[in-house]
Amino acid sequence: MKLLHIDSSILGAGSVSRELSALVVARLTRDAQAELTYRDLAVDDLPHLAPATLPGAHPLSAMAGPLEGPAQATRATSDRILEEFLAADTVVIGVPMYNFTIPSQLKAWIDRIVVPGKTFRYGEAGAEGLATGKRVIVALARGAVFGPDRASAEHAESYLRTVLGFIGITDLEFVLAEGLAAGEPSKAKGVAAARDAIGQLAA
């Protein structure tokens, strides 16, 4: 199994999403050999989307012209990110909700894997996802509880379902810890529920 592990929280050791994503990886690798690739997006400091920061496989990357020095190094990093994603059988993503959505660091990573001709294409029937056959598990931590009455304010899980589905991910699982900002009892309950869910994951 080739396993890609992504973390995106800025909170370091205090992060619930990091704790949960590590538990997911431990669960998946407990009884199986795995070739593990890890990316900490809070450390990688990926620049925002621009022709020069796109992977070379992206049609718009040519707009940047020849690249040298740091710009070429950034392009090489983008190429590796796309290659890591394409090579992975399983992807585990630790995601905190910031301001109702995903961290901008994670959005910058996603911008490097949504590439025409590599992870999706348009045909006569419309868009077709090409990144099929992958299992993706998202460990999502959020401060509030987003029930049906607050669904319109939830733009982390809903966005990830949309964008990952667009590129062909049909085996998508969420481990959710919520209510983390509503006091210690609520946080403990939310984390315990997520840990229990991880224990039920198919390895």
PDB file of all heavy atoms in Angstrom, residues 10 16 44 64 72 119 144 149 159 164-165 200:
ATOM      1  N   ILE A  10      -2.427  24.531  11.751  1.00  0.00           N
ATOM      2  CA  ILE A  10      -1.335  25.416  12.180  1.00  0.00           C
ATOM      3  C   ILE A  10      -1.020  25.254  13.671  1.00  0.00           C
ATOM      4  O   ILE A  10      -0.129  25.933  14.187  1.00  0.00           O
ATOM      5  CB  ILE A  10      -1.679  26.895  11.896  1.00  0.00           C
ATOM      6  CG1 ILE A  10      -2.897  27.338  12.719  1.00  0.00           C
ATOM      7  CG2 ILE A  10      -1.913  27.112  10.408  1.00  0.00           C
ATOM      8  CD1 ILE A  10      -3.207  28.828  12.623  1.00  0.00           C
ATOM      9  N   VAL A  16      -6.188  18.800  17.084  1.00  0.00           N
ATOM     10  CA  VAL A  16      -7.019  17.592  17.115  1.00  0.00           C
ATOM     11  C   VAL A  16      -6.979  16.880  15.765  1.00  0.00           C
ATOM     12  O   VAL A  16      -6.898  15.653  15.697  1.00  0.00           O
ATOM     13  CB  VAL A  16      -8.467  17.942  17.505  1.00  0.00           C
ATOM     14  CG1 VAL A  16      -9.386  16.736  17.313  1.00  0.00           C
ATOM     15  CG2 VAL A  16      -8.532  18.424  18.948  1.00  0.00           C
ATOM     16  N   ASP A  44       5.304  23.344   4.814  1.00  0.00           N
ATOM     17  CA  ASP A  44       5.687  23.478   3.403  1.00  0.00           C
ATOM     18  C   ASP A  44       5.536  24.891   2.862  1.00  0.00           C
ATOM     19  O   ASP A  44       6.268  25.305   1.977  1.00  0.00           O
ATOM     20  CB  ASP A  44       4.834  22.534   2.537  1.00  0.00           C
ATOM     21  CG  ASP A  44       5.282  21.086   2.654  1.00  0.00           C
ATOM     22  OD1 ASP A  44       6.314  20.841   3.283  1.00  0.00           O
ATOM     23  OD2 ASP A  44       4.586  20.215   2.112  1.00  0.00           O
ATOM     24  N   ALA A  64       3.687  30.970 -17.577  1.00  0.00           N
ATOM     25  CA  ALA A  64       4.743  31.550 -16.740  1.00  0.00           C
ATOM     26  C   ALA A  64       6.057  31.716 -17.499  1.00  0.00           C
ATOM     27  O   ALA A  64       6.938  32.451 -17.054  1.00  0.00           O
ATOM     28  CB  ALA A  64       4.972  30.684 -15.509  1.00  0.00           C
ATOM     29  N   GLN A  72      11.759  27.848 -10.193  1.00  0.00           N
ATOM     30  CA  GLN A  72      11.847  26.483 -10.703  1.00  0.00           C
ATOM     31  C   GLN A  72      11.727  25.470  -9.567  1.00  0.00           C
ATOM     32  O   GLN A  72      11.119  24.407  -9.730  1.00  0.00           O
ATOM     33  CB  GLN A  72      13.157  26.276 -11.453  1.00  0.00           C
ATOM     34  CG  GLN A  72      13.338  24.867 -12.020  1.00  0.00           C
ATOM     35  CD  GLN A  72      12.194  24.453 -12.928  1.00  0.00           C
ATOM     36  OE1 GLN A  72      11.789  25.213 -13.808  1.00  0.00           O
ATOM     37  NE2 GLN A  72      11.668  23.254 -12.720  1.00  0.00           N
ATOM     38  N   THR A 119      -6.002  14.510 -13.429  1.00  0.00           N
ATOM     39  CA  THR A 119      -6.982  14.053 -12.442  1.00  0.00           C
ATOM     40  C   THR A 119      -8.416  14.291 -12.895  1.00  0.00           C
ATOM     41  O   THR A 119      -9.348  13.844 -12.218  1.00  0.00           O
ATOM     42  CB  THR A 119      -6.745  14.725 -11.078  1.00  0.00           C
ATOM     43  OG1 THR A 119      -6.755  16.159 -11.236  1.00  0.00           O
ATOM     44  CG2 THR A 119      -5.412  14.292 -10.485  1.00  0.00           C
ATOM     45  N   ALA A 144     -17.626  23.959  16.154  1.00  0.00           N
ATOM     46  CA  ALA A 144     -19.064  23.924  16.378  1.00  0.00           C
ATOM     47  C   ALA A 144     -19.650  22.617  15.876  1.00  0.00           C
ATOM     48  O   ALA A 144     -18.973  21.815  15.227  1.00  0.00           O
ATOM     49  CB  ALA A 144     -19.734  25.106  15.679  1.00  0.00           C
ATOM     50  N   ASP A 149     -29.688  22.507  10.683  1.00  0.00           N
ATOM     51  CA  ASP A 149     -30.039  23.926  10.773  1.00  0.00           C
ATOM     52  C   ASP A 149     -28.859  24.843  10.465  1.00  0.00           C
ATOM     53  O   ASP A 149     -29.053  26.040  10.241  1.00  0.00           O
ATOM     54  CB  ASP A 149     -30.577  24.252  12.165  1.00  0.00           C
ATOM     55  CG  ASP A 149     -29.591  23.934  13.277  1.00  0.00           C
ATOM     56  OD1 ASP A 149     -28.839  22.948  13.118  1.00  0.00           O
ATOM     57  OD2 ASP A 149     -29.572  24.661  14.281  1.00  0.00           O
ATOM     58  N   TYR A 159     -17.136  21.153   0.727  1.00  0.00           N
ATOM     59  CA  TYR A 159     -16.175  21.477  -0.335  1.00  0.00           C
ATOM     60  C   TYR A 159     -15.320  20.266  -0.693  1.00  0.00           C
ATOM     61  O   TYR A 159     -15.112  19.960  -1.875  1.00  0.00           O
ATOM     62  CB  TYR A 159     -15.278  22.637   0.092  1.00  0.00           C
ATOM     63  CG  TYR A 159     -14.114  22.844  -0.853  1.00  0.00           C
ATOM     64  CD1 TYR A 159     -14.313  23.361  -2.129  1.00  0.00           C
ATOM     65  CD2 TYR A 159     -12.814  22.485  -0.486  1.00  0.00           C
ATOM     66  CE1 TYR A 159     -13.258  23.529  -3.012  1.00  0.00           C
ATOM     67  CE2 TYR A 159     -11.760  22.651  -1.356  1.00  0.00           C
ATOM     68  CZ  TYR A 159     -11.984  23.178  -2.618  1.00  0.00           C
ATOM     69  OH  TYR A 159     -10.933  23.322  -3.492  1.00  0.00           O
ATOM     70  N   LEU A 164     -13.091  16.547  -4.349  1.00  0.00           N
ATOM     71  CA  LEU A 164     -12.519  15.206  -4.478  1.00  0.00           C
ATOM     72  C   LEU A 164     -13.410  14.317  -5.346  1.00  0.00           C
ATOM     73  O   LEU A 164     -12.911  13.498  -6.123  1.00  0.00           O
ATOM     74  CB  LEU A 164     -12.307  14.589  -3.101  1.00  0.00           C
ATOM     75  CG  LEU A 164     -11.241  15.303  -2.239  1.00  0.00           C
ATOM     76  CD1 LEU A 164     -11.211  14.723  -0.834  1.00  0.00           C
ATOM     77  CD2 LEU A 164      -9.868  15.230  -2.880  1.00  0.00           C
ATOM     78  N   GLY A 165     -14.700  14.491  -5.248  1.00  0.00           N
ATOM     79  CA  GLY A 165     -15.600  13.772  -6.134  1.00  0.00           C
ATOM     80  C   GLY A 165     -15.402  14.169  -7.582  1.00  0.00           C
ATOM     81  O   GLY A 165     -15.469  13.339  -8.491  1.00  0.00           O
ATOM     82  N   GLN A 200     -13.243   1.742  14.094  1.00  0.00           N
ATOM     83  CA  GLN A 200     -14.144   0.953  13.248  1.00  0.00           C
ATOM     84  C   GLN A 200     -13.748   0.970  11.777  1.00  0.00           C
ATOM     85  O   GLN A 200     -14.393   0.276  10.968  1.00  0.00           O
ATOM     86  CB  GLN A 200     -15.582   1.490  13.404  1.00  0.00           C
ATOM     87  CG  GLN A 200     -16.133   1.437  14.805  1.00  0.00           C
ATOM     88  CD  GLN A 200     -16.136   0.036  15.390  1.00  0.00           C
ATOM     89  OE1 GLN A 200     -16.571  -0.907  14.724  1.00  0.00           O
ATOM     90  NE2 GLN A 200     -15.647  -0.122  16.603  1.00  0.00           N
TER      91      GLN A 200
END
